[in-house]
């Protein structure tokens, strides 16, 4: 019940961003489950390109969007992987005309075991997925 009270007290703009974040997190979770990655990747943007490095902050600042995605994700009954959160953030930024780059990386954990990670970059700042990204080698970018 306290989460509902906190939501009600939010300014209208943050309520809208929260509902939008919920929508995109659910959307990309479902799309990632039901489609092959080659189809999913078409939604991410231009392959092997970085977005423009020019940044501008608005009332819907990229940091606000990223924090909102993390906050909403913490209350979902499932775990959203980094790719889902980065795709949701990228889409929300793109709808606001803000360029960003979704980056995919891999790391070798054991002899025959690779792990993957995705993060979202706006200009030179990593908005989503910064934790541990330095351990991954970039294999794809989407602008």
């Amino acid at each position: 019940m306290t989460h509902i009270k906190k939501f009600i007290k939010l300014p209208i703009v943050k309520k809208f961003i929260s509902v939008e974040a919920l929508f995109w997190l659910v959307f990309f979770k479902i799309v990632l489950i039901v489609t092959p990655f080659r189809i999913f990747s078409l939604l991410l943007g231009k392959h092997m390109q970085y977005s423009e490095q020019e940044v501008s902050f608005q009332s819907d600042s990229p940091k606000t969007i990223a924090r909102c995605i993390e906050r909403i994700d913490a209350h979902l009954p499932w775990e959203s992987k980094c790719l889902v959160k980065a795709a949701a953030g990228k889409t929300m930024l793109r709808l606001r005309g803000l360029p960003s780059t979704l980056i995919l990386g891999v790391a070798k954990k054991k002899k025959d075991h690779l792990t993957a990670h995705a993060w979202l970059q706006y200009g030179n700042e990593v908005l989503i997925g910064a934790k541990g990204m330095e351990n991954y080698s970039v294999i794809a970018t989407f602008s």
Side-chain angles (χ1 to χ4, degrees), residues 34 63 80-82 101-103 110-111 123 128 135 141:
V34 301
K63 287 182 183 179
S80 294
K81 299 292 185 186
C82 53
T101 303
L102 190 146
I103 303 168
K110 297 178 185 173
K111 185 178 179 183
I128 295 173
N135 300 324
T141 61

Side-chain angles (χ1 to χ4, degrees), residues 17-124:
I17 295 171
S18 296
V19 171
E20 184 185 7
L22 174 62
F23 171 80
W24 289 116
L25 286 168
V26 171
F27 175 82
F28 282 111
K29 174 77 172 177
I30 292 168
V31 171
L32 191 57
I33 289 170
V34 301
T35 62
F37 183 76
R38 63 179 160 50
I39 302 296
F40 180 85
S41 67
L42 296 175
L43 300 172
L44 301 179
K46 296 177 184 174
H47 186 244
M48 297 311 286
Q49 291 188 10
Y50 280 89
S51 65
E52 303 161 8
Q53 295 300 308
E54 181 181 321
V55 295
S56 63
F57 288 89
Q58 303 173 349
S59 60
D60 280 3
S61 77
K63 287 182 183 179
T64 301
I65 291 169
R67 281 191 304 266
C68 192
I69 287 171
E70 294 293 350
R71 188 173 55 247
I72 294 296
D73 180 59
H75 298 293
L76 292 176
W78 62 82
E79 178 187 1
S80 294
K81 299 292 185 186
C82 53
L83 181 57
V84 170
K85 292 189 276 189
K90 177 153 187 44
T91 300
M92 290 176 72
L93 292 175
R94 183 174 47 224
L95 290 173
R96 288 159 176 79
L98 301 173
S100 62
T101 303
L102 190 146
I103 303 168
L104 299 178
V106 294
K108 195 172 191 177
K109 290 289 183 183
K110 297 178 185 173
K111 185 178 179 183
D112 295 327
H113 185 70
L114 287 177
T115 60
H117 184 53
W119 58 95
L120 181 63
Q121 192 169 309
Y122 177 72
N124 293 323

